[in-house]
Amino acid sequence: MVAAGAHRPGPLKQQNKAHKGGKHSGSSQRRAGGRVSVKAQPRRRLRDLSRVDRRHQALQLRRQRKEAVLAEKRSLGSRDGPPHLVVLVPLHSKAAAHDTLCLLQSQDSSVVRVDEGRTGGFALLCPRLKQRWHFVTAQAGDLHAVLDLAKVADSLLFILDPADGWDSVGEHCLSCLFAQGLPSYALAVPGGTDLPPKKRIDARKKLAKAIEKRFPEAKLFSLNTEQESSLLLRHLATQKQRHLAFRDRRAHLLAYAAEFVPGQESDLVGTLKVSGFVRGQPLDVNSLVHIVGHGDFQMSQVDAPPDPLSLNPRVIKGQKRSQDMEDDSINGTDEMEEDVKVLMKADPNKQESLQSEVVPDPMEGEQTWPTEEELQEAEASLKANRRLVKVPKGTSKYQAAWIVDDGEEGSEKDDDDDEEDDIDDDMMEEAVSQEGESSEEEEEPAEEECETMTVSECLRDDRYDEKVEEDEQMLERYKQERMDEMFPDEVDTPRDVPARVRFQKYRGLKSFRTSPWDPKENLPRDYARIFQFQDFSRTRKHLFRQIEKEETEGALVGWYVTLHVCNVPVSVMESFKEGKPLVLFSLLPHEQKMSVLNFLVRRHPSNSEPVRAKEELIFHCGFRRFRASPLFSQHTSADKHKLERFLRPDAALVVTVYAPITFPPASVLLFKQRSNGMHDLIATGSLLSVDPDRIVVKRLVLSGHPFKIFTKTAVVRYMFFNREDVMWFKPVELRTKWGRRGHIKEPLGTHGHMKCHFDGQLKSQDTVLLNLYKRVFPKWTYDPHVPEPVPWVRSESALPVQEVEME
């Protein structure tokens, strides 16, 4: 506290200089004591640049990016690069795709070569512009063909109807393409010349307004004259190319021609010779190749036949110079066979293995799980010794645990198979199986009843009744989804089975967020078959860094090569003969091995049917296509993630499956197959991680009701129905729906009443809850063979063919 009359210094107070001692020569060295100053880092040097240098550096970076974009545009479709692959996708049943192809072929300054193969398109060579094109048509109803061609296409050309734009099938096709990842595209509208000029302008405005939401920056091209087609080609050649990460880091090609050579042992398996242009990255013969929709294979050699789409074909040695170019096209097959050069052959020491699963060693003792034979022997010995499953009084905890596990094996197996079925039915199966094990006299008639019921259901062959049964099943699913939304994870305590036996694999947690859970604890036998990385993100960064910096030996981008793919089934060639596109992708290291993949997906708004966990779905992950039964879990930042029984429409969920390793980024599409063979898009997203240690926990909630309420204690009933269950679950913490916390103090009587203590007084309308948790794992249902979907019908109200014929 300064006195009122004290002197305060003003702004003109004298400021003395600080003492400069120690700055004469030699003093700094004496103070350093031999220490050497740290050298400046290169990042600090960048920050110390002057203003002119910073401007110059930014100008250089912009110039480098611009030159990279121009070099990419020049290489695409040029002599040194692959032909510009354009896929025509008609989005309406009235869209004139054939007229578009004819108009593009009628170029005056172009030499047109029509492919005689089964690719369903033609090649367009422009020597004057030094450009070459490859046009392929995809039917919008064939979903797999459209998605496979979009994986390798340089540009997509959407053909619209001048009046309606696109129909329901086109809308479904666009949803799938946008979710998978859309390359560069253009919009074309052929026709519309038969309309009066005024109506033509109105239709053009209406169509432009319709595509504004779906394609906000797209330009609409008319295709009625040769001049308009040349403008469209110029736009496709000069527009900026969109990059898809999953294909830019892998070599890929679209089969231009294919030949199947049967093997010596069987005609069903042989060598497939696939010819096409290398795209994306250089192709190594020692790496594995994935044929989309058919699986992973090895290559034996890579050949270099003559380029069939060369801008200036060279005269081959031994051929008369006076031979005309028409003779070249006629005898092209013989010359290709004679002048094929072998680029490289596979080295067995460097070639990637096709091993996808780990062969577990039973002597390692990592997982001591019993085999099926041991389980059968244990059941036989139990029946011979007439041992009861019920735990007798006075038995120790260790003995009781072993007795319960042996007796509960069959029921637990059923529980694992149908874990996500209806909770009430699940508990009824548990009760029936437990009663059958505890009593031998009731076992035989129970089995007989089950057999007669299954036979009667299988013998029914009334199609109308099957339709009614499907409706009832769908109604039951809607009820289950509604109940799970209103009462999440709540189950009724079984009265025929002790709760300590029914929920013996569950545990209580003091805090779901902070309580520890060992990720290596009680792993299933399938975990002995998968591969796991010590640090997946580090491995991924190392591989991508090698792709960007190191030059891979092999066939360079733009080369026309022939791949000899070994041990390919003849069905691949039959599919190619039917007109299906044949797309090949080279695999990065480890991408043929099985592991646990986690996808982050969100429900597609076009589908509202309930999708239950562990229900078979069809996955389109990057360049792969497979079937699996996934788990759904919440997407949080914690170390434990709660299982979701249904695919929620209002939140992003994580889907967990056993599948081959894929390095992200990669898009994922989830489809569900209808009873008539059509595929419905139910969810879209991306690959989140490859992590077997991600803990997915299933929660069960047992509920009870307050019977008598005191100040901070209450008598709760209907949670358990015997005294032993109350004592067993006494350590687990209780909570209520209105936010109270408590614990069980003691049981009252022998019918499951219990005295509980809470942190406050309960309300009479409150409900007491007890949470139990168990870690769950996905099922090993991976199937790389996905059936071809039935083409989408144009009308949403159309019925399957069989039902129409019956009517």
Side-chain angles (χ1 to χ4, degrees), residues 460 464-480 610 612:
R460 293 183 60 184
Y464 185 79
D465 290 343
E466 289 179 359
K467 185 66 177 178
V468 172
E469 289 179 1
E470 290 180 3
D471 295 341
E472 291 178 354
Q473 293 176 1
M474 185 61 66
L475 178 61
E476 188 65 26
R477 288 187 179 181
Y478 276 115
K479 288 182 179 179
Q480 294 172 12
R612 194 167 49 191

Side-chain angles (χ1 to χ4, degrees), residues 529-674:
R529 304 165 56 186
I530 64 174
F531 290 84
Q532 184 175 4
F533 296 94
Q534 291 184 352
D535 191 345
F536 178 75
S537 60
R538 183 178 179 182
T539 305
R540 171 179 169 271
K541 290 179 181 178
H542 177 67
L543 282 176
F544 289 173
R545 197 177 298 116
Q546 285 183 341
I547 294 173
E548 293 176 358
K549 294 184 179 180
E550 299 180 5
E551 294 183 0
T552 307
E553 297 181 358
L556 299 180
V557 177
W559 288 7
Y560 184 77
V561 297
T562 299
L563 309 180
H564 294 248
V565 188
C566 305
N567 299 325
V568 179
V570 69
S571 59
V572 180
M573 189 63 192
E574 293 175 354
S575 175
F576 182 70
K577 289 180 179 179
E578 293 175 358
K580 305 291 183 182
L582 188 60
V583 179
L584 287 82
F585 275 84
S586 66
L587 298 181
L588 299 178
H590 314 295
E591 283 196 330
Q592 79 279 10
K593 301 174 182 177
M594 296 291 292
S595 187
V596 179
L597 271 62
N598 302 304
F599 305 100
L600 180 62
V601 302
R602 186 177 289 273
R603 186 72 177 264
H604 197 264
S606 64
N607 188 278
S608 59
E609 294 183 2
V611 180
R612 194 167 49 191
K614 292 190 179 179
E615 189 174 350
E616 187 180 75
L617 300 177
I618 298 172
F619 289 77
H620 288 245
C621 175
F623 54 90
R624 291 190 186 273
R625 187 163 61 235
F626 57 89
R627 290 187 293 177
S629 300
L631 290 179
F632 303 144
S633 58
Q634 293 180 353
H635 178 50
T636 59
S637 59
D639 60 342
K640 295 180 290 297
H641 311 274
K642 193 179 81 69
L643 176 76
E644 291 290 344
R645 289 173 168 80
F646 290 89
L647 186 62
R648 301 294 182 188
D650 54 349
L653 297 180
V654 176
V655 176
T656 304
V657 293
Y658 290 112
I661 295 172
T662 304
F663 290 98
S667 59
V668 61
L669 286 76
L670 269 65
F671 292 89
K672 185 178 178 181
Q673 187 171 359
R674 293 183 187 175

Side-chain angles (χ1 to χ4, degrees), residues 24-40:
H24 52 279
S25 63
S27 61
S28 59
Q29 287 86 349
R30 287 195 300 270
R31 283 199 310 272
R35 295 189 298 270
V36 181
S37 60
V38 181
K39 294 182 179 179

Side-chain angles (χ1 to χ4, degrees), residues 157-441:
L157 181 58
F158 294 113
I159 310 300
L160 307 179
D161 182 66
D164 300 329
W166 56 82
D167 54 9
S168 59
V169 178
E171 178 68 24
H172 178 70
C173 180
L174 286 177
S175 300
C176 298
L177 288 175
F178 273 95
Q180 178 181 267
L182 202 62
S184 302
Y185 61 88
L187 304 177
V189 184
T193 56
D194 53 345
L195 296 175
K198 187 175 181 181
K199 290 187 177 180
R200 193 184 312 168
I201 295 175
D202 295 341
R204 179 85 176 190
K205 290 181 179 180
K206 182 181 178 181
L207 185 59
K209 189 175 182 180
I211 68 173
E212 186 177 358
K213 294 183 179 180
R214 180 66 86 170
F215 307 98
E217 299 178 357
K219 184 180 179 182
L220 198 60
F221 289 88
S222 299
L223 271 183
N224 296 317
T225 61
E226 295 182 3
Q227 184 179 4
E228 292 175 346
S229 65
S230 62
L231 289 176
L232 177 61
L233 287 179
R234 184 182 296 273
H235 172 73
L236 291 174
T238 57
Q239 70 176 347
K240 184 178 179 180
Q241 292 296 314
R242 290 189 173 190
H243 294 276
L244 300 180
F246 72 88
R247 76 177 186 185
D248 289 342
R249 293 189 175 96
R250 299 170 180 86
H252 56 277
L253 59 86
L254 174 66
Y256 188 81
E259 179 186 357
F260 183 78
V261 180
Q264 298 178 356
E265 299 179 356
S266 175
D267 295 339
L268 301 178
V269 179
T271 301
L272 184 66
K273 298 180 181 180
V274 184
S275 301
F277 293 91
V278 181
R279 303 172 184 271
Q281 294 290 333
L283 180 63
D284 186 9
V285 69
N286 294 318
S287 63
L288 298 180
V289 65
H290 176 80
I291 302 179
V292 177
H294 299 282
D296 304 334
F297 304 95
Q298 288 180 331
M299 293 180 288
S300 59
Q301 73 179 42
V302 177
D303 300 337
D307 190 349
L309 303 181
S310 177
L311 289 173
N312 48 353
R314 292 174 294 181
V315 178
I316 304 171
K317 293 181 180 180
Q319 181 184 358
K320 295 181 181 181
R321 295 185 178 181
S322 61
Q323 190 175 9
D324 200 8
M325 293 300 295
E326 296 180 357
D327 298 334
D328 292 344
S329 60
I330 296 174
N331 302 324
T333 56
D334 298 334
E335 292 167 3
M336 285 178 62
E337 293 179 359
E338 294 177 358
D339 297 309
V340 170
K341 298 179 181 179
V342 179
L343 285 180
M344 62 194 79
K345 290 189 176 182
D347 186 358
N349 298 325
K350 297 181 181 179
Q351 196 171 26
E352 289 283 346
S353 173
L354 281 172
Q355 181 184 3
S356 61
E357 300 178 15
V358 178
V359 180
D361 187 1
M363 301 304 294
E364 286 185 358
E366 294 180 355
Q367 297 290 333
T368 57
W369 289 93
T371 61
E372 296 294 334
E373 293 79 7
E374 293 175 349
L375 293 176
Q376 294 177 2
E377 291 177 2
E379 291 179 359
S381 62
L382 283 175
K383 292 180 180 180
N385 296 330
R386 295 182 179 275
R387 295 175 61 186
L388 298 178
V389 177
K390 292 185 178 180
V391 181
K393 294 183 179 180
T395 306
S396 64
K397 294 182 179 179
Y398 180 78
Q399 295 173 345
W402 280 103
I403 293 173
V404 169
D405 282 341
D406 292 339
E408 191 66 14
E409 186 64 33
S411 60
E412 283 300 324
K413 184 177 180 181
D414 296 337
D415 187 28
D416 291 337
D417 291 339
D418 300 326
E419 189 168 329
E420 300 308 322
D421 290 343
D422 186 12
I423 301 173
D424 297 335
D425 295 342
D426 195 12
M427 289 190 299
M428 290 299 295
E429 291 175 4
E430 293 284 341
V432 171
S433 62
Q434 188 69 19
E435 288 178 357
E437 291 176 358
S438 62
S439 176
E440 294 182 354
E441 298 178 356

